[in-house]
Amino acid sequence: MVDRNEWERDRPVLTGSPRRPPPSFVEQANVTDPGIYDEFEENWPECWERAADLLSWDQSYETVLREEDAPFYQWFPDGKLNAAKNCVDRHLESGRKTHTAIRWEGKHGERQTYTYRDLYVAINEFAAALRALGVEEDDVVTIYLPMIPELPIAMLSCARIGAPHNVVFAGLSADALATRMDAADSEYLVTCDGYYRRGDAFNQKSKADNARLKLEQDVSTVVVDRLGDDLPHVLGDDECDYHELRETFAGELVDPVPRDAEDMLFVMYTSGTTGEPKGVVHTTGGYLAHATWTSHAVLDVKPEDTYWCAADIGWITGHSYIVYGPLALGTTTVMYEGTPDYPDRDRLWEIVDRNAVDIFYTAPTAIRAFMKWGSEYPAGYDLSSLRLLGTVGEPISPRPWNWYYEHIGNETCPVVDTWWQTETGAVTVSTLPGVSEMKPGAAGPSLPGMDVRVVDSSGTEVDPGDSGYLTIARPWPGMVRTLYDGDERFRAEYWDQFSDPESDDWHYFSGDAARIDEDGYITVLGRVDDVINVSGRRLSTTEVESAITGVAGVAEAAVVGRSSETNGTDVYAYVSTEGGYDDGTAVREAIIDNIETAIGPIARPTKVQFTPELPKTRSGKIMRRLLEDVANGEELGDTSALRNPEIIGEIQAELDEE
Ligand code: PRX
């Protein structure tokens, strides 16, 4: 059983007053029939045909779900389709070729618009170029690009020729890129010269070059020239310029390759409980059906909308809800390169106003920042085009939820708090905005067709009001199929905890703790494994710790999360150095450098606390929970298992002095 005190600390314990969906929204919503829950229940798994029917199939499927080899489920296994054709070609065929597909807003106010026809031309030409470089079906192409249109173009070009993509967030380090390329056996890389970070030109290519030096395989690289004269670069052997390739293959057409529904569409690396990132494998049919269906049913996307998910395509949210879901529905998806506060804190609202954005989807960390900056920033703009607001990535407590509802949504837009993960592929828990009551602080019930449960450590469902582990008791189309690193790890990470293979009873474990109420609404409380969620981004504490212990003079390290008003959680590091206590600035700097080199600036600790030793159990296990309590100024949990209980007091005294 999860200790409630432990998990409810500083979390959104209470839900705010429920709110009904605004009638003006319900009148036009894609899904309005409350009967949809029963309908999916009574007709499971065939209910998921409703999602698959939003796609165009080259060969229709006969089987919805194949369960024989659980937990290696297969969805629509005998169907064939192509994801790029679904996201682009079919909208041309339906007479919408001049409709805007991507509206790009650059950091310095530059703008670009790609119609579906423009996107079609771009992905055909780049698919032809990739083929000419030697990319064949099933070859993994790594994409290491910031938020520029060439990123979705590269993804869709890969999808067109059946080459799975492996997008690595542009802010990750050279080491992190090399690890992910090595793990995915990837011999192709699409990157750029650099990008603007705030006002400055930042060199991305040098990171890519450093990564390549660490790899054993030869890598053929395409470089997008983003910065021109602001950051001149020279191409080496095995490197091509993106725009020159486009010119070479101008006007070429490449037939979209029909893929088996279960063929891999992409791999996405995410942090797990060990230092090694996990290569989450998503397939073409089930993933695309689930991402498209939830864009329709939860985000209420319509082809005529201007829709904006202000996430980064380098993470799963951007894959599912900037690229695949919205483009499959033929809408206009906004892509924003910059940050919310550059050049000023009104930047997002200026973009919403100027583009008459209908749907806006962001993360609680951003909402908390907006709230802190003050309502005068959005108040200066006309946000009346907005119809629906969404949030994802971390728990959102009632106060920021209500602020978002009032100051951005003007109390006329439903807010969908969507719980899901890289592994679930698409939204799993949320209200349906045209149907369900919203409870600020609770994500909502399982979506129709999903069976999300909160259970105790024996797998028994907890009573309403109690907390436990968040599990999923039935397969779903967008689910992770395996880990690129192997089926064994896949079973160990997600299935071994709550399943009973003997009786063929499979339960997926999310790694989250949650509480459920009497209406089946789920409040997610946070991770229960060694993963911390910083501004909606997953970091493995083990990965950060190994970057710290790589510094000369460091003996041991323990990394925990500390609640933070803006980031949700900050990285907090406890370090003991060789030869006793040392608070040397040099070691601290080396630690931060090493973390930025191994992972990237997102993992930078807000505090490095030196201590002569770390609190340990008699068997030598570091008591991270206690360190987390200290970092958060909480009352300490049980210290009786400690071999060196006095150290906790010493650490606290040290902190009190500061
Ligand atoms: O802890 C949960 C949190 O983010 C984790 C998944 O992270 P990632 O795979 O990077 O995907 C993020 C975007 C889907 C989850 O295990 N999380 C995600 N959405 C919510 C959330 N926690 C609370 N409420 C949410 N709506």
Side-chain angles (χ1 to χ4, degrees):
M1 185 61 196
V2 175
D3 174 351
R4 286 179 60 187
N5 291 334
E6 190 172 322
W7 288 109
E8 294 188 353
R9 181 183 64 199
D10 244 9
R11 311 280 177 187
V13 176
L14 298 172
T15 48
S17 320
R19 297 187 191 261
R20 289 297 311 160
S24 57
F25 179 87
V26 177
E27 269 166 34
Q28 60 77 60
N30 286 342
V31 176
T32 52
D33 178 8
I36 188 170
Y37 289 96
D38 288 345
E39 201 187 296
F40 267 62
E41 205 51 45
E42 285 155 17
N43 191 25
W44 193 91
E46 281 72 27
C47 53
W48 284 109
E49 286 178 16
R50 206 154 146 180
D53 287 350
L54 293 173
L55 305 178
S56 301
W57 294 80
D58 296 325
Q59 176 181 300
S60 48
Y61 56 88
E62 309 250 309
T63 314
V64 172
L65 171 64
R66 195 171 283 154
E67 303 187 76
E68 288 82 41
D69 196 19
F72 302 94
Y73 295 95
Q74 300 189 328
W75 285 88
F76 320 112
D78 38 19
K80 283 183 188 289
L81 76 169
N82 181 281
K85 182 171 166 181
N86 269 280
C87 290
V88 184
D89 303 35
R90 65 174 178 154
H91 306 310
L92 266 60
E93 287 153 18
S94 63
R96 309 185 63 248
K97 53 177 178 260
T98 55
H99 192 77
T100 301
I102 297 176
R103 180 156 291 156
W104 179 76
E105 296 276 349
K107 191 164 295 182
H108 289 160
E110 315 94 305
R111 291 173 209 158
Q112 283 180 28
T113 296
Y114 281 77
T115 63
Y116 275 94
R117 163 90 194 151
D118 295 333
L119 196 54
Y120 176 78
V121 169
I123 69 171
N124 270 283
E125 291 174 358
F126 195 52
L130 288 174
R131 275 225 176 121
L133 292 174
V135 179
E136 292 181 6
E137 202 175 338
D138 294 321
D139 286 346
V140 176
V141 176
T142 301
I143 307 175
Y144 186 49
L145 286 174
M147 285 288 283
I148 54 178
E150 288 77 8
L151 171 51
I153 289 170
M155 291 163 73
L156 292 166
S157 305
C158 289
R160 193 166 194 86
I161 57 174
H165 51 73
N166 169 27
V167 176
V168 177
F169 174 60
L172 290 185
S173 66
D175 283 7
L177 172 64
T179 310
R180 285 154 180 75
M181 288 191 74
D182 180 41
D185 307 314
S186 179
E187 296 176 354
Y188 300 94
L189 175 65
V190 185
T191 185
C192 66
D193 52 349
Y195 57 95
Y196 296 109
R197 223 165 46 182
R198 306 216 148 243
D200 305 324
F202 175 78
N203 196 326
Q204 182 79 346
K205 184 162 182 302
S206 70
K207 285 200 290 175
D209 291 344
N210 287 336
R212 281 180 55 179
L213 290 173
K214 293 178 201 295
L215 291 170
E216 280 178 15
Q217 68 262 40
D218 290 334
V219 175
S220 130
T221 306
V222 178
V223 182
V224 179
D225 188 349
R226 162 75 182 102
L227 296 181
D229 291 341
D230 279 357
L231 188 75
H233 66 278
V234 184
L235 293 179
D237 292 343
D238 285 341
E239 292 184 338
C240 303
D241 176 77
Y242 169 86
H243 295 286
E244 279 175 19
L245 283 173
R246 286 278 310 271
E247 269 170 37
T248 309
F249 293 92
E252 293 262 333
L253 292 181
V254 173
D255 284 340
V257 174
R259 298 277 283 167
D260 285 350
E262 280 296 308
D263 281 343
M264 178 166 41
L265 178 62
F266 64 86
V267 55
M268 160 125 268
Y269 281 86
T270 186
S271 295
T273 47
T274 70
E276 285 298 300
K278 303 186 280 197
V280 172
V281 170
H282 281 295
T283 57
T284 312
Y287 167 81
L288 194 61
H290 193 180
T292 307
W293 161 252
T294 45
S295 299
H296 168 85
V298 178
L299 297 170
D300 201 53
V301 171
K302 299 176 173 58
E304 59 275 19
D305 285 335
T306 297
Y307 158 89
W308 184 12
C309 168
D312 194 294
I313 297 175
W315 308 107
I316 192 71
T317 307
H319 276 49
S320 303
Y321 297 114
I322 298 177
V323 182
Y324 286 111
L327 291 178
L329 291 174
T331 196
T332 298
T333 182
V334 176
M335 231 186 121
Y336 176 49
E337 188 191 33
T339 49
D341 56 351
Y342 184 84
D344 203 350
R345 291 171 169 177
D346 60 357
R347 177 70 165 136
L348 303 190
W349 318 124
E350 183 271 324
I351 295 176
V352 169
D353 185 349
R354 181 161 39 77
N355 290 289
V357 168
D358 298 272
I359 299 165
F360 182 68
Y361 191 27
T362 190
T365 187
I367 299 167
R368 290 190 297 266
F370 305 150
M371 191 167 85
K372 205 165 98 189
W373 296 339
S375 53
E376 60 272 26
Y377 291 100
Y381 292 89
D382 178 3
L383 306 182
S384 62
S385 58
L386 288 169
R387 183 174 89 239
L388 175 100
L389 299 174
T391 140
V392 58
E394 310 156 70
I396 179 164
S397 37
R399 210 159 73 86
W401 193 105
N402 281 317
W403 188 93
Y404 194 36
Y405 184 75
E406 284 165 26
H407 294 283
I408 307 301
N410 193 28
E411 305 195 9
T412 60
C413 304
V415 174
V416 284
D417 175 0
T418 61
W419 176 85
W420 57 292
Q421 310 179 289
T422 306
E423 293 85 347
T424 68
V427 178
T428 312
V429 173
S430 167
T431 49
L432 286 173
V435 175
S436 334
E437 186 173 81
M438 298 167 274
K439 298 188 188 182
S446 297
L447 282 184
M450 299 292 316
D451 188 356
V452 179
R453 298 184 185 177
V454 181
V455 301
D456 64 20
S457 53
S458 70
T460 310
E461 283 187 75
V462 301
D463 291 332
D466 281 350
S467 23
Y469 300 98
L470 194 63
T471 62
I472 309 180
R474 261 196 317 223
W476 66 100
M479 68 196 298
V480 47
R481 292 304 194 274
T482 188
L483 293 179
Y484 201 87
D485 358 8
D487 293 347
E488 278 306 304
R489 190 169 176 205
F490 172 68
R491 291 175 80 121
E493 290 273 354
Y494 307 112
W495 301 97
D496 285 355
Q497 301 83 348
F498 293 105
S499 304
D500 178 10
E502 301 276 297
S503 51
D504 205 21
D505 187 20
W506 297 96
H507 296 257
Y508 166 90
F509 178 42
S510 65
D512 280 356
R515 196 183 55 236
I516 189 155
D517 74 6
E518 59 291 347
D519 299 322
Y521 276 53
I522 291 165
T523 292
V524 178
L525 303 170
R527 304 284 310 190
V528 291
D529 52 12
D530 294 330
V531 171
I532 46 182
N533 187 331
V534 179
S535 302
R537 283 158 189 180
R538 267 161 74 167
L539 290 174
S540 142
T541 52
T542 328
E543 215 176 336
V544 184
E545 284 164 9
S546 68
I548 299 176
T549 49
V551 171
V554 169
E556 272 190 315
V559 164
V560 299
R562 176 166 68 168
S563 296
S564 129
E565 214 174 284
T566 32
N567 297 334
T569 310
D570 281 336
V571 177
Y572 197 102
Y574 295 91
V575 176
S576 69
T577 50
E578 286 163 4
Y581 184 83
D582 184 351
D583 70 343
T585 322
V587 182
R588 185 176 273 115
E589 276 171 13
I591 286 173
I592 290 174
D593 260 14
N594 238 32
I595 292 174
E596 295 202 351
T597 307
I599 304 161
I602 53 167
R604 193 188 165 103
T606 44
K607 178 148 181 80
V608 178
Q609 165 89 33
F610 288 101
T611 168
E613 47 185 277
L614 297 171
K616 290 192 184 162
T617 60
R618 288 189 182 83
S619 60
K621 219 173 149 241
I622 298 172
M623 290 280 279
R624 285 188 180 69
R625 290 275 170 250
L626 281 176
L627 289 169
E628 203 176 324
D629 289 340
V630 174
N632 287 286
E634 296 291 330
E635 218 168 274
L636 297 185
D638 187 9
T639 56
S640 60
L642 282 184
R643 193 188 59 196
N644 53 351
E646 69 290 348
I647 198 66
I648 287 288
E650 286 182 30
I651 295 173
Q652 278 177 321
E654 188 79 30
L655 273 174
D656 289 346
E657 265 178 35
E658 287 174 11

